[in-house]
Amino acid sequence: MASHKLLVTPPKALLKPLSIPNQLLLGPGPSNLPPRIMAAGGLQMIGSMSKDMYQIMDEIKEGIQYVFQTRNPLTLVISGSGHCALEAALVNVLEPGDSFLVGANGIWGQRAVDIGERIVCHPSHLWCASPGPGARVHPMTKDPGGHYTLQEVEEGLAQHKPVLLFLTHGESSTGVLQPLDGFGELCHRYKCLLLVDSVASLGGTPLYMDRQGIDILYSGSQKALNAPPGTSLISFSDKAKKKMYSRKTKPFSFYLDIKWLANFWGCDDQPRMYHHTIPVISLYSLRESLALIAEQGLENSWRQHREAAAYLHGRLQALGLQLFVKDPALRLPTVTTVAVPAGYDWRDIVSYVIDHFDIEIMGGLGPSTGKVLRIGLLGCNATRENVDRVTEALRAALQHCPKKKL
């Protein structure tokens, strides 16, 4: 065989050692990793379908049931971020023609709308040219900072007769904590399932899947759980399982087909069959993150975040900054939003804090872009020491960043 000269030479950047800055991550996620979780990421690989891996997977399932406060057998991990779990929920529950009601009070509701529209009004379905009742996604749109009342949701349920309602428990783009009590019971009265995003809230504020009547709950690994990004947690009630398992059509995604995933994660009491190669090392880290919160205790974790957030709010207000969410009961403890101070460019503040103090905070996202700064106190990062560090960094930024004349 003839030898050909390589057209692409080894990249010079890859011939240098990997260099990672030492930063305090106080944005909305991902968060810093505790030593025990970092150590788990350095453990040796094992077979993804070995009995040892199945044992780790079973322990992870029990951990999810604990942090979700559920006894649902259909509880597992999705090999992908929180977006992947949202897509898994929608792809498996919604069928063409279903009505989907969405609380769109931030970017995560907007994403649910986008994914839902791809499912229930797919171009391959001829009826989409003139959709009739129950053939559309119905967003209940609110400005950033808004939340939903039982009355508002009931009006949407009565009008649109959806099979599924989506709410974001912790809207990290706006800093809103959505109340959940009563919404599951309300949905079930209208024969609707309740889907809740808890990516930014899990571990940081009380959440009770079974007691609150949540049918589908998902979260991510990289926020208050302090695990690396790339895996997500999800659980389905018996009502949700019945809807998915009685579908007339196959889900559009094989990778996210819950029947396959339920089998692979040992949720159906059948011999496990290969579906995909799971991220073994990431699952080590997730297992350890769930072990840490189990050792701490959920209620202690909730208290830690509540107290750290209250301390942060006081320090921010002492600087003359305004909290974006006015009602203290609706403030998400894990991610605090601050109104961008008048005359400042939020990008200047964020850049100053990272460049001079090695602390990451973030601006707004989606509908909150340009309106807020976002400060995250997630898991091991939810400490008074970190609050003092970030508020001193903000004090310096306000003194040194250019201010426009109003």
Side-chain angles (χ1 to χ4, degrees):
M1 182 179 291
S3 176
H4 297 284
K5 186 177 181 181
L6 295 176
L7 295 176
V8 180
T9 58
K12 290 182 179 179
L14 294 182
L15 302 180
K16 301 175 184 176
L18 177 64
S19 177
I20 303 297
N22 183 18
Q23 296 175 343
L24 177 59
L25 302 182
L26 297 185
S31 54
N32 293 101
L33 307 184
R36 180 167 160 184
I37 294 176
M38 290 179 64
L43 296 174
Q44 183 56 271
M45 183 72 64
I46 60 174
S48 63
M49 295 186 69
S50 65
K51 65 178 183 180
D52 296 308
M53 192 65 223
Y54 288 159
Q55 176 64 33
I56 292 170
M57 292 165 74
D58 289 344
E59 291 172 4
I60 288 171
K61 285 192 297 181
E62 289 186 55
I64 298 172
Q65 289 170 327
Y66 172 63
V67 294
F68 280 8
Q69 284 297 287
T70 183
R71 292 191 173 92
N72 292 333
L74 188 45
T75 298
L76 51 90
V77 172
I78 302 288
S79 301
S81 68
H83 274 89
C84 211
L86 170 58
E87 192 146 345
L90 297 184
V91 161
N92 283 277
V93 171
L94 295 177
E95 293 193 80
D98 281 345
S99 175
F100 178 33
L101 185 64
V102 181
N105 60 335
I107 192 167
W108 309 119
Q110 290 181 347
R111 294 288 167 89
V113 169
D114 193 335
I115 297 169
E117 287 175 344
R118 296 163 189 254
I119 298 168
V120 302
C121 198
H122 194 273
S124 65
H125 305 130
L126 298 178
W127 50 262
C128 278
S130 55
R136 294 186 297 119
V137 177
H138 305 283
M140 300 181 291
T141 304
K142 290 212 170 202
D143 291 335
H147 75 289
Y148 297 94
T149 65
L150 287 166
Q151 181 180 346
E152 289 169 333
V153 167
E154 183 163 18
E155 290 170 0
L157 293 171
Q159 179 182 353
H160 300 296
K161 299 177 174 51
V163 300
L164 184 67
L165 166 68
F166 171 88
L167 292 174
T168 307
H169 187 215
E171 181 43 86
S172 60
S173 69
T174 65
V176 169
L177 178 67
Q178 169 65 46
L180 292 177
D181 287 346
F183 285 89
E185 181 184 354
L186 176 63
C187 285
H188 299 157
R189 218 158 56 226
Y190 284 84
K191 301 195 180 336
C192 174
L193 300 173
L194 175 59
L195 164 63
V196 172
D197 175 323
S198 69
V199 173
S201 61
L202 183 71
T205 193
L207 179 63
Y208 308 92
M209 183 175 188
D210 289 358
R211 193 181 303 167
Q212 292 174 318
I214 300 168
D215 293 293
I216 309 164
L217 182 64
Y218 71 89
S219 193
S221 56
Q222 77 277 14
K223 297 192 185 276
L225 292 183
N226 295 138
T231 57
S232 49
L233 302 62
I234 196 164
S235 182
F236 299 87
S237 71
D238 288 341
K239 288 187 180 72
K241 179 180 178 181
K242 182 178 179 182
K243 173 76 167 73
M244 295 186 297
Y245 280 54
S246 61
R247 292 178 62 98
K248 298 181 181 66
T249 58
K250 285 186 178 182
F252 291 126
S253 171
F254 174 81
Y255 185 71
L256 299 177
D257 189 322
I258 289 299
K259 284 187 178 180
W260 278 90
L261 292 173
N263 170 264
F264 191 53
W265 275 86
C267 301
D268 63 0
D269 297 322
Q270 299 297 317
R272 302 194 202 204
M273 295 187 295
Y274 173 78
H275 176 254
H276 71 283
T277 304
I278 52 177
V280 171
I281 305 296
S282 292
L283 292 177
Y284 295 169
S285 298
L286 179 59
R287 189 267 181 203
E288 289 298 88
S289 74
L290 292 166
L292 284 173
I293 200 168
E295 291 169 9
Q296 180 185 14
L298 257 184
E299 293 173 319
N300 291 330
S301 181
W302 297 338
R303 184 183 307 111
Q304 175 189 348
H305 287 85
R306 181 177 67 249
E307 292 175 353
Y311 182 57
L312 173 64
H313 296 165
R315 291 295 309 267
L316 292 171
Q317 289 169 324
L319 289 177
L321 295 170
Q322 307 244 334
L323 299 178
F324 186 69
V325 180
K326 302 306 178 190
D327 185 346
L330 298 175
R331 290 175 188 157
L332 178 62
T334 51
V335 180
T336 295
T337 44
V338 182
V340 176
Y344 290 94
D345 187 322
W346 67 269
R347 288 164 289 210
D348 292 338
I349 296 173
V350 169
S351 296
Y352 189 91
V353 170
I354 191 70
D355 292 343
H356 291 82
F357 293 88
D358 291 319
I359 299 174
E360 180 185 74
I361 63 173
M362 301 289 281
L365 183 65
S368 68
T369 300
K371 294 182 172 67
V372 300
L373 300 169
R374 295 184 295 155
I375 302 169
L377 298 174
L378 299 165
C380 64
N381 282 348
T383 66
R384 290 172 70 95
E385 178 190 357
N386 286 341
V387 170
D388 290 339
R389 287 181 62 182
V390 74
T391 50
E392 286 307 308
L394 283 169
R395 185 194 303 277
L398 295 173
Q399 290 172 347
H400 293 94
C401 289
K403 187 175 180 182
K404 301 174 188 174
K405 291 184 180 179
L406 299 178

